[in-house]
Amino acid sequence: MKKHILFLLSFLFILPGYSSAIATEKLFSYDKNRITENFNIGWEFRKENNPDTLDWQTISIPHTWNNIDMQTLRNDFYAGTAYYRKTYTPNLSLKGKRIFLRFEGVASTAEVFINKSFAGNHQGGYSAFAIDISSLLEFGKENEILIKVDNTSRPDVIPVNHRLFGVYGGIYRPVELIITEKINIAVTDYASPGIYISQNNVSEESAEIQIKAKIDNKTGKQENILINYSIHNKENNLVLNHKIPIQLLPQGRREIIQDFKINKPHLWQGLEDPYLYKVTVRLIKDNHIIDEVIQPLGLRHFELKASDGMYLNGKKVPMYGVCRHQDWWQLGSALNNEQHDIDLSIIKEIGATTIRLAHYQQSEYFYSKCDSIGFMIWAEIPFVNRATTQEGPNARQQLVELIRQNYNHPSIYVWGLHNEVYKPHEYTIALTSDLNDLAKTEDPNRYTVQVSGYNKIDHPVNNNADIQGINQYFGWYNGTLDSLQTWVERAEQNFSDFKVIFSEYGTEANINQQREEVSNRGDCCGFEKDYNESFSTRFHEEHWNIISKHPFLIASYIWNTFDFATPMSSQGMVESRNMKGLVTFDRKVKKDPFYWYKANWSKEPVLYITQRRVVNRGNKITPITVYSNIGTPQLFVNNKEIINFGMGYTDVHYIFPDIQLQEGENIIEVKVEKDKQLYNDRIIWNYSEEYKNLDNSAPEIRLKEHIGL
């Protein structure tokens, strides 16, 4: 505590009469409080390089110009310059205020002009930025706001290409107009909330909290104000209230740091109990609240133990992980909260406990919802795929933005530094070491992670963070399905002290490509290849069987929850798409592997027959596989009960062997009664010997658009 008192004294003067006693909250006037306005309506848009032409299109934000071409036209999408413009007439009463534009996401570079005067710029398509436009506005008059946006790949802005995923051009996340007094909590500290809440020594007995507030004074004179910290619990009862009188110097930004302690806190316990407090920081002058920022507080302690797993507040919790790309079919990245909610509901349904938000900073709404739902989050920057040796400054900038903008989200447990960036080795080692130091300086209380596509844990490119992530696709890109078992056994013998996460694994699954029988090696890679769903089902069954038995892998993440766009490649007879998702691009079809994980992970009842889309069968004798987490299923084939079954990899995996199908239609049904409720699943297979040589992935089938089926 002593060092924080010294820090305060070095930056401000403590006014006479200061009392550290926590007082009853006092009511103040709100007539000069911060104003935050939605600024998403009334924009105009056009492509190309002449912003003065007349053919402008009226649009609303969020908006992208690549929602179609990046998803359907391999290497033929528009990556270039476009313009957005809007008029704004500030009321004369706002003269003397500070007025900011805050953009949550513009891809991938932006230049902002007010009345044709340059106001500011930003490089990076996934982090927010804020610009003070006060001095450029004419009050009481109409002002033109023009944004020049460009999503051309650049060697100095990460990601440096569109190869692993497309950077959808546009102002694709919300825009806000923020109005404050000349004394305000910082808006332009990398577009952060200006408030940073740290926590230490968190237990059921007590939690130590430090709140840092960054304060701007643009009045040009010394100012006496109060800074008021208050904490309310979930029930909106006041837990803590603290006021400090301070004297601000006439210029510059000040950091005010204060320590608190909460006794007998209600802890944030992930999905089990995502309990949130509310922290409010107010600036008060002459008994008026002149600024206020509210932030979430989830009191928790993360501890990852090598060869063991995650302990949340001392309690071991499973790390059932999925990855998420943010784009949707025909929407691109220009999503509203409804789409984010749908994604979150699907991820919650499958039973996941943790999400890797790959490979870039994602929506502020999404992080906030993860706080309140209780997911444990891996957040990362888009340093992916390759290094150019020119991206260092921008990678550092985007890491600072990621951390400062999301510092207060209790759901985030780790910051990601890079994904599969290799040569030049010495450059990548140096940059990632620097990024790790930067992350630890910005936030010493969270883990850092690097990700390698090598299956060598001691590779020097990947040994510069707290955690090592390994991306491997055994049986798809290399090896066979059983190669994972060999690899993990060798790794746990040689690297038991390392914190190792299986950060990506998966395989393509086109639901219009089906096979009755599959091998232990996938048909990768190319447009004409067979990406059948049946192989994906077997892949995930075998992989989870191995992962679940090896705590050396302290967490694992399926690649991916949803199919997503890959605008520079086309595979499996579908243009511009990665189909490793457990759910189709439009979120309408949950593939067989989705139910495999749901049965193994979720507490929701699951009773599911696999290979339901392999409708036309050429094998008269065939197994039937059922996933059930509610007990032993009764199987009926054409109304005849089948008794004999065997257990598969886990206790939800039921295999009924040597089922004989009849010519023509076969009705397959399973039933389970649990807690006086009857559950059932039913599918139809058609058997004919003529189907024996049927190519279920023939071009006329494969080219059929699967969206919505």
Side-chain angles (χ1 to χ4, degrees):
M1 179 65 183
K2 184 179 294 183
K3 66 178 180 180
H4 300 307
I5 293 175
L6 291 173
F7 180 89
L8 286 169
L9 288 171
S10 68
F11 282 89
L12 51 92
F13 301 103
I14 304 296
L15 293 178
Y18 165 73
S19 172
S20 62
I22 296 175
T24 303
E25 186 173 31
K26 183 179 179 181
L27 295 178
F28 294 91
S29 167
Y30 278 82
D31 59 352
K32 292 186 177 181
N33 202 4
R34 173 183 298 219
I35 299 171
T36 302
E37 296 181 358
N38 178 308
F39 210 61
N40 298 322
I41 306 300
W43 289 88
E44 293 179 306
F45 164 79
R46 79 174 312 277
K47 292 181 186 176
E48 301 172 359
N49 294 321
N50 185 358
D52 297 320
T53 55
L54 300 177
D55 54 338
W56 290 82
Q57 174 188 356
T58 300
I59 57 98
S60 296
I61 305 298
H63 175 267
T64 176
W65 63 75
N66 292 128
N67 57 309
I68 302 299
D69 61 358
M70 262 194 177
Q71 300 183 348
T72 57
L73 302 174
R74 176 166 55 105
N75 285 326
D76 194 23
F77 52 88
Y78 181 74
T81 302
Y83 291 86
Y84 293 83
R85 72 180 182 186
K86 176 182 171 71
T87 58
Y88 169 56
T89 304
N91 194 286
L92 286 171
S93 64
L94 297 180
K95 203 166 187 178
K97 308 283 188 181
R98 298 191 73 190
I99 301 178
F100 305 86
L101 281 176
R102 187 179 189 275
F103 299 85
E104 192 186 331
V106 180
S108 61
T109 64
E111 297 177 45
V112 179
F113 300 86
I114 307 296
N115 299 322
K116 301 189 185 304
S117 295
F118 178 76
N121 64 356
H122 184 259
Q123 296 179 349
Y126 298 101
S127 47
F129 63 98
I131 296 175
D132 187 342
I133 61 172
S134 312
S135 63
L136 298 175
L137 291 172
E138 297 184 34
F139 292 85
K141 298 180 180 180
E142 190 175 86
N143 295 260
E144 181 191 65
I145 299 171
L146 181 72
I147 319 297
K148 179 182 178 181
V149 182
D150 195 333
N151 69 329
T152 305
S153 294
R154 292 173 42 163
D156 60 336
V157 178
I158 59 173
V160 298
N161 57 42
H162 297 278
R163 186 159 299 280
L164 288 187
F165 53 90
V167 182
Y168 294 89
I171 305 178
Y172 71 96
R173 289 187 187 147
V175 183
E176 292 177 332
L177 186 76
I178 300 173
I179 303 169
T180 73
E181 295 295 309
K182 288 188 174 181
I183 301 172
N184 65 290
I185 298 169
V187 177
T188 55
D189 182 36
Y190 289 91
S192 74
I195 303 298
Y196 301 90
I197 307 166
S198 302
Q199 46 186 292
N200 288 287
N201 300 318
V202 175
S203 70
E204 293 180 348
E205 295 301 314
S206 63
E208 297 172 4
I209 302 166
Q210 183 183 94
I211 303 176
K212 176 168 67 176
K214 297 190 176 185
I215 312 300
D216 285 344
N217 177 18
K218 297 297 184 181
T219 64
K221 60 183 180 179
Q222 290 187 160
E223 295 283 356
N224 296 331
I225 67 168
L226 285 172
I227 183 168
N228 177 209
Y229 305 92
S230 63
I231 300 177
H232 290 77
N233 61 19
K234 190 175 182 178
E235 294 72 35
N236 207 33
N237 297 318
L238 184 66
V239 173
L240 181 148
N241 195 61
H242 197 73
K243 303 179 184 71
I244 305 174
I246 60 174
Q247 188 176 80
L248 294 173
L249 297 177
Q251 63 183 28
R253 179 170 291 167
R254 299 293 179 255
E255 290 187 354
I256 318 292
I257 297 177
Q258 186 65 36
D259 292 319
F260 303 99
K261 186 175 183 178
I262 295 180
N263 293 317
K264 300 292 182 182
H266 192 146
L267 301 182
W268 187 91
Q269 194 59 45
L271 290 167
E272 180 184 318
D273 185 9
Y275 191 92
L276 292 175
Y277 292 85
K278 179 179 70 176
V279 173
T280 305
V281 178
R282 293 171 176 146
L283 305 183
I284 301 166
K285 187 177 189 304
D286 300 329
N287 288 333
H288 292 270
I289 295 174
I290 58 173
D291 204 4
E292 174 182 273
V293 170
I294 299 172
Q295 289 291 287
L297 172 61
L299 294 168
R300 82 289 182 268
H301 173 66
F302 292 117
E303 183 180 10
L304 277 170
K305 297 183 180 181
S307 298
D308 190 356
M310 171 65 82
Y311 287 78
L312 175 57
N313 304 319
K315 180 179 180 180
K316 188 171 183 178
V317 293
M319 294 291 281
Y320 300 149
V322 295
C323 299
R324 188 244 187 180
H325 265 301
Q326 67 182 2
D327 60 336
W328 275 54
W329 172 246
Q330 296 186 337
L331 295 176
S333 56
L335 308 182
N336 58 36
N337 292 346
E338 179 184 359
Q339 281 94 45
H340 293 306
D341 285 337
I342 290 172
D343 281 7
L344 285 162
S345 68
I346 291 172
I347 292 170
K348 188 173 183 182
E349 178 190 347
I350 202 175
T353 61
T354 179
I355 312 172
R356 181 183 176 197
L357 294 174
H359 291 297
Y360 39 78
Q361 184 170 331
Q362 299 201 9
S363 159
E364 293 172 358
Y365 177 83
F366 199 93
Y367 290 117
S368 295
K369 291 292 287 187
C370 289
D371 294 339
S372 60
I373 294 171
F375 289 120
M376 295 173 285
I377 298 303
W378 168 339
E380 63 188 49
I381 59 173
F383 185 24
V384 299
N385 189 39
R386 68 173 288 233
T388 67
T389 74
Q390 298 179 48
E391 67 277 274
N394 186 253
R396 295 180 187 94
Q397 169 206 310
Q398 291 199 45
L399 182 60
V400 172
E401 290 170 331
L402 173 71
I403 294 174
R404 293 196 189 183
Q405 291 169 20
N406 299 287
Y407 189 93
N408 299 326
H409 290 297
S411 55
I412 296 174
Y413 79 93
V414 66
W415 303 117
L417 308 180
H418 82 98
N419 179 81
E420 296 185 0
V421 181
Y422 310 124
K423 298 177 182 179
H425 285 166
E426 294 306 317
Y427 169 82
T428 305
I429 293 168
L431 178 54
T432 54
S433 297
D434 187 22
L435 291 173
N436 185 67
D437 290 344
L438 180 59
K440 289 299 186 181
T441 301
E442 290 288 326
D443 182 6
N445 297 317
R446 283 187 175 94
Y447 291 106
T448 56
V449 61
Q450 293 174 272
V451 174
S452 173
Y454 296 117
N455 54 19
K456 290 181 61 178
I457 291 175
D458 56 352
H459 196 287
V461 169
N462 211 42
N463 288 154
N464 308 307
D466 299 325
I467 301 166
Q468 178 155 174
I470 297 292
N471 295 349
Q472 271 299 322
Y473 296 78
F474 293 111
W476 186 248
Y477 293 127
N478 61 286
T480 57
L481 292 179
D482 52 6
S483 299
L484 174 59
Q485 180 72 35
T486 304
W487 175 83
V488 73
E489 287 177 353
R490 186 182 302 119
E492 61 192 357
Q493 289 175 3
N494 298 326
F495 303 102
S496 59
D497 293 336
F498 283 67
K499 293 181 174 70
V500 178
I501 289 177
F502 204 38
S503 43
E504 287 182 25
Y505 70 100
T507 181
E508 308 277 347
N510 183 343
I511 63 170
N512 284 314
Q513 296 179 339
Q514 301 292 338
R515 294 284 184 188
E516 289 185 71
E517 301 171 0
V518 295
S519 68
N520 68 345
R521 176 85 168 108
D523 188 26
C524 177
C525 300
F527 185 71
E528 297 288 340
K529 295 292 186 176
D530 178 12
Y531 283 10
N532 67 83
E533 181 184 8
S534 304
F535 175 78
S536 176
T537 303
R538 179 179 176 185
F539 176 100
H540 284 288
E541 288 174 348
E542 296 205 18
H543 270 65
W544 179 246
N545 172 50
I546 296 168
I547 292 167
S548 64
K549 292 177 172 61
H550 288 274
F552 169 76
L553 301 173
I554 55 178
S556 60
Y557 290 87
I558 300 163
W559 188 264
N560 199 286
T561 314
F562 310 103
D563 293 347
F564 60 94
T566 52
M568 297 183 72
S569 67
S570 295
Q571 302 186 60
M573 295 301 292
V574 178
E575 293 284 3
S576 307
R577 191 171 309 167
N578 185 303
M579 291 176 284
K580 292 189 183 74
L582 302 177
V583 182
T584 53
F585 205 179
D586 62 356
R587 277 60 171 175
K588 291 183 178 180
V589 178
K590 295 164 185 171
K591 305 174 189 178
D592 283 358
F594 178 93
Y595 292 95
W596 166 246
Y597 288 104
K598 183 177 179 180
N600 279 284
W601 293 354
S602 177
K603 295 178 182 178
E604 291 185 14
V606 176
L607 182 63
Y608 186 84
I609 305 168
T610 69
Q611 285 203 325
R612 62 209 303 114
R613 278 172 284 276
V614 191
V615 175
N616 296 321
R617 320 284 296 193
N619 293 328
K620 187 176 183 66
I621 307 299
T622 184
I624 293 177
T625 299
V626 180
Y627 305 146
S628 172
N629 65 2
I630 52 177
T632 303
Q634 290 179 282
L635 173 66
F636 298 87
V637 178
N638 300 319
N639 296 319
K640 179 181 178 181
E641 184 173 5
I642 307 298
I643 303 298
N644 296 326
F645 68 89
M647 297 304 298
Y649 292 129
T650 71
D651 60 4
V652 304
H653 194 191
Y654 295 85
I655 302 173
F656 294 82
D658 302 328
I659 303 299
Q660 183 168 316
L661 301 179
Q662 67 184 20
E663 187 76 20
E665 183 178 274
N666 292 263
I667 299 173
I668 317 296
E669 187 172 16
V670 287
K671 298 178 182 179
V672 173
E673 185 174 346
K674 182 177 176 63
D675 299 329
K676 298 183 179 180
Q677 183 171 348
L678 182 65
Y679 299 88
N680 70 293
D681 190 26
R682 183 178 184 272
I683 66 171
I684 294 176
W685 284 346
N686 299 316
Y687 165 69
S688 172
E689 190 174 348
E690 295 179 0
Y691 296 146
K692 186 71 174 178
N693 298 316
L694 174 69
D695 183 359
N696 279 303
S697 51
E700 64 270 15
I701 298 175
R702 287 189 284 170
L703 287 172
K704 183 179 176 184
E705 177 56 60
H706 77 253
I707 294 300
L709 293 180

